[in-house]
């Protein structure tokens, strides 16, 4: 017999169109279970359906256009084959009672011709390469210097985000999250050392946030603000990103996005900048906190502490969901959690992906 214990993480959450069974969010995590054309494999539907006990699932980063692909065998939302495969995923999650958003991720400089379906050269705000080697379909390769985006490149990329969002809705997703964090394209426009532009998309703070603002506005116009969300990681130093003073940039961006009435903002904190406390009052809507980025995996106690602080409404869990598909149930019953085999994170089969058992059987009614 198991005994469930009360937890703030397990209480329902409702805000606007969001109707969530609990406050536990499955964070986006790259897994590379697509074919060589970026079409999700059939096991992707099983993987996400297994984790439908989360209040909300946010998928791995999905490329919104061919120029945005960052990793080999990363899924896209561009072709009809990709849309059809994602429709099978959303149907499986909805059948299991879940809610799922697609994360739209443009890699920017975090790409290489050997990671791309089209073999194209990576685009970025400025011609600043990654600081170290990259994984490609032919092994590790030295980074290439990306092409600095022209005004036309920027306009086409904004439209790619909007088109992919429409594709996501056609595929049955409940909404989309624009990936503005973790060193990818939107973050590159916001950061000090990757945006060296002197035109309207660089320089001062309004210039630095312009691309992020236009991309979010385009998606909100395409599918509705209630289906649009954004993830930000102010001060996150991943992949050589430098943001010496994130506060002014992100406060200005938060104030610009707040009037749109987005579904949520998904924020990670760095060690040097208290993004949750600083930005929540400006955002005004639902906030998801991720406090495990660049730290130990978030456990139940850490998530409950975030909710007690009042700096977020929901808490996202990444690594904890990898080997624990029934994570909310484990939190409810006190069942132990399992660590994943990191050697299997980025392989292409079911091993280390869909073969993790639930800790406990589904609950039965008391007699």
């Amino acid at each position: 017999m198991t005994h469930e214990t009360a937890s703030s993480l397990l209480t329902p959450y409702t805000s606007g169109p969001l109707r969530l069974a609990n406050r536990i969010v499955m964070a986006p995590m790259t897994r590379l279970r697509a074919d060589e054309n970026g079409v999700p494999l059939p096991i992707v539907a099983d993987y996400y359906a297994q984790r439908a006990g989360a209040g909300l699932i946010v998928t791995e980063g999905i490329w919104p256009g061919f120029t945005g692909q960052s990793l080999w065998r990363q899924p896209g939302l561009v072709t009809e084959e990709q849309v059809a495969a994602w429709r099978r995923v959303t149907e499986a999650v909805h059948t299991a009672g879940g809610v799922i958003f697609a994360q739209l991720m443009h890699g920017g400089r975090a790409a290489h011709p050997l990671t791309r379906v089209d073999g194209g050269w990576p685009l970025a705000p400025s011609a600043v390469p990654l600081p170290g080697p990259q994984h490609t379909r032919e092994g590790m390769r030295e980074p290439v210097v990306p092409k600095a985006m022209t005004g036309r490149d920027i306009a086409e990329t904004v439209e790619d985000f909007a088109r992919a969002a429409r594709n996501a809705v056609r595929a049955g997703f409940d909404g989309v999250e624009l990936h503005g964090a973790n060193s990818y394209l939107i973050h590159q426009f916001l950061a000090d050392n990757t945006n060296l532009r002197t035109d309207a998309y660089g320089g001062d703070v309004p210039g630095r946030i312009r691309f992020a603002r236009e991309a979010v506005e385009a998606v909100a116009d395409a599918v509705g603000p209630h289906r649009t969300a954004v993830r930000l990681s102010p001060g996150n130093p991943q992949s050589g990103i430098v943001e010496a003073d994130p506060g002014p940039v992100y406060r200005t961006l938060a104030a610009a996005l707040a009037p749109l009435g987005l579904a949520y903002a998904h924020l990670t904190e760095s060690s040097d900048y208290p993004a949750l406390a600083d930005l929540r009052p400006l955002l005004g809507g639902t906030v998801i906190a991720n406090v495990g980025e660049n730290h130990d995996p978030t456990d139940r106690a850490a998530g409950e502490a975030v909710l007690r602080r009042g700096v977020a409404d929901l808490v996202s869990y990444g690594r904890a969901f990898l080997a624990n598909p029934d994570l909310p149930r484990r939190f409810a019953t006190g069942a132990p959690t399992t660590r994943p085999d990191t050697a299997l994170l980025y392989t292409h089969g079911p091993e280390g992906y869909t073969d993790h058992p639930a800790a406990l059987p589904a609950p039965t009614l008391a007699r």
Side-chain angles (χ1 to χ4, degrees), residues 8 44 53-54 72 110 124 126 135 157 165 168 198 201 206 231 235 246 255 273 279 310 318-319 324 350 354:
S8 54
V44 175
W72 186 240
S126 302
H135 290 278
T157 301
T198 58
Y201 291 90
R231 178 170 169 136
Y273 175 59
L279 301 180
R319 286 162 286 176
N324 304 284
T354 55

Side-chain angles (χ1 to χ4, degrees), residues 26-33 40-54 57-60 86 88-89 92-93 96 100 317-326 340 344-346 349-356:
M26 178 178 169
M29 291 174 287
T30 295
R31 299 307 306 273
L32 304 182
R33 263 67 175 193
L41 299 172
I43 56 175
V44 175
D46 299 330
Y47 171 75
Y48 284 114
Q50 289 172 350
R51 291 154 178 81
I57 291 172
V58 185
T59 71
E60 63 220 89
W86 281 116
R88 291 188 284 273
V89 174
V93 170
I100 185 168
Y317 287 79
R319 286 162 286 176
F321 263 111
L322 294 174
N324 304 284
D326 57 340
L344 298 174
L345 293 183
Y346 307 118
E351 296 79 14
Y353 189 64
T354 55
D355 58 352
H356 295 292

Side-chain angles (χ1 to χ4, degrees), residues 212-245:
R213 177 176 54 78
E214 289 183 353
V216 174
E217 289 174 348
V219 169
D221 286 344
V223 299
H226 62 292
R227 292 195 184 100
T228 304
V230 65
R231 178 170 169 136
L232 303 170
S233 60
N236 188 337
Q238 289 180 353
S239 300
I241 287 287
V242 174
E243 293 178 285
D245 186 11

